[in-house]
Amino acid sequence: MFRKMRRSDRLMAEIDTAVLLDNVQYGVLSTVGKDSNPYGVPISFVYMNNAIYLHCATEGEKLDNIITNNRVCFTVVDAVEVLPAAFSTKYKSAVVFGEAAVVENPEEKRSALIGFIKKYSPEFYEAGLQYIDNAFEKTKVLKIVVRNMTGKARS
């Protein structure tokens, strides 16, 4: 189903790919709409329990596309350094394929939102909990169940 990476010499170990997903700040979610048009959007995320969690408003193109076709691709790139003289670039990247769905379980939703606070605003944890309580009903959380994940690096 998934192609084998052509440059297997740059394949990252699964644990290193997970560490990359734990630490990188943003990724790009790619979906396909009912009109078959692709849609890629940069977005913040949390990687927990072998899943990627995203948050969004209660309506929008991401949600519409996922309702139409829940198969998604999520990519991240980090540690980029252009090597002009070598006509190349150092980098670490990950490509994740999976199925996305709205998180309906309130405990899982809250846990994911707390993950965002811990990742992006740890110094404002208590205020973040209050923010979650205030915005809980106005926020959707999406979960991408990872079906295939590859990491690639050039150092």
Side-chain angles (χ1 to χ4, degrees):
M1 175 173 182
F2 296 101
R3 256 187 198 193
K4 190 173 181 177
M5 185 183 296
R6 185 181 62 82
R7 290 295 308 262
S8 60
D9 59 314
R10 295 192 178 159
L11 181 66
M12 291 171 52
E14 189 173 325
I15 187 69
D16 295 329
T17 304
V19 168
L20 175 65
L21 287 168
D22 277 336
N23 293 307
V24 73
Q25 297 296 306
Y26 300 95
V28 176
L29 174 67
S30 298
T31 62
V32 176
K34 61 182 164 189
D35 56 3
S36 296
N37 280 327
Y39 178 70
V41 61
I43 193 165
S44 56
F45 71 99
V46 176
Y47 178 69
M48 305 173 10
N49 306 319
N50 198 40
I52 294 170
Y53 290 90
L54 316 165
H55 66 84
C56 60
T58 58
E59 60 182 275
E61 192 162 357
K62 281 188 296 290
L63 288 173
D64 291 347
N65 290 355
I66 288 167
I67 290 167
T68 300
N69 179 350
N70 72 337
R71 293 172 54 205
V72 300
C73 181
F74 188 79
T75 60
V76 299
V77 181
D78 196 31
V80 176
E81 180 187 343
V82 176
L83 305 170
F87 306 102
S88 192
T89 306
K90 290 182 182 179
Y91 61 89
K92 291 181 180 179
S93 65
V95 178
V96 175
F97 293 94
E99 287 84 35
V102 173
V103 174
E104 301 293 349
N105 179 293
E107 291 83 23
E108 183 180 10
K109 178 179 175 180
R110 183 171 175 76
S111 176
L113 292 171
I114 290 171
F116 278 94
I117 299 301
K118 288 179 178 177
K119 180 175 181 179
Y120 293 100
S121 302
E123 63 280 5
F124 301 101
Y125 185 77
E126 292 302 322
L129 293 178
Q130 185 62 48
Y131 189 89
I132 289 170
D133 290 342
N134 293 339
F136 197 79
E137 296 304 320
K138 297 178 276 189
T139 304
K140 292 276 188 192
V141 171
L142 304 175
K143 177 181 182 179
I144 301 171
V145 176
V146 176
R147 298 293 180 220
N148 182 272
M149 174 174 78
T150 55
K152 186 176 178 182
R154 179 172 198 259
S155 46

